[in-house]
Amino acid sequence: MNEPANLVPGPREATVEVYRPTPLAPVPSAPVVPVQPGTVPAVTSVVLPDGRVVTGYALEPAKTDPVTAKPPVSRAAVNIALGGIGFGAVCGGLFLLTAFVTALTALIAQLITLAAIVFGGWVAVQVFSASSHRSGTTVNIRKAVFKRNHFHH
């Protein structure tokens, strides 16, 4: 055994199973075939500023299919769409105007009610305070004149 002397096998050691994957057989791939262009491009030579000449094939960029033009939108369809947007804006504006008028009417009604309560309270205070302080009418007898049972001031 190749165990060190200071290690004592204990109950904490567990058996470890090692799984080794089996390699798959290589799958033969299709050979790569270079695609030749439809026509042989012309050989082009370019002279660099330092005098060197580079020769090679001029490759044309890959051409994609042209994008088909979208059909024009009819004038009537545009007018109908704009009319619908305008109609929605007008309806929303009228709704807001109606809500504002309703809120303003409620505010005015509340202010009128508040004024009536305050004025009615003021009148009540005047009536009750006048009757509670005075038990009768005070008459200045020195200036008063009685004619035929009528009091003249």
Side-chain angles (χ1 to χ4, degrees):
M1 278 201 192
N2 292 334
E3 293 182 3
N6 60 358
L7 289 179
V8 178
R12 290 187 291 172
E13 293 182 13
T15 306
V16 177
E17 294 182 28
V18 178
Y19 293 98
R20 301 200 191 285
T22 55
L24 297 175
V27 177
S29 62
V32 178
V33 178
V35 177
Q36 297 294 327
T39 60
V40 177
V43 176
T44 306
S45 296
V46 177
V47 179
L48 297 177
D50 61 355
R52 292 181 293 161
V53 178
V54 177
T55 304
Y57 293 106
L59 298 178
E60 294 180 15
K63 295 181 181 178
T64 59
D65 294 334
V67 178
T68 57
K70 293 182 181 179
V73 179
S74 70
R75 193 91 169 143
V78 171
N79 289 340
I80 290 171
L82 290 176
I85 292 171
F87 180 75
V90 168
C91 288
L94 287 176
F95 175 73
L96 289 176
L97 181 65
T98 305
F100 176 74
V101 168
T102 304
L104 187 62
T105 304
L107 176 66
I108 291 172
Q110 288 178 353
L111 289 176
I112 290 172
T113 305
L114 178 65
I117 290 172
V118 169
F119 183 70
W122 180 79
V123 169
V125 166
Q126 296 301 319
V127 168
F128 291 124
S129 66
S131 65
S132 65
H133 291 296
R134 302 177 192 162
S135 60
T137 304
T138 304
V139 177
N140 190 351
I141 298 180
R142 293 182 189 158
K143 294 181 181 179
V145 177
F146 289 97
K147 291 182 181 177
R148 295 186 186 181
N149 295 331
H150 287 97
F151 173 78
H152 297 281
H153 197 127

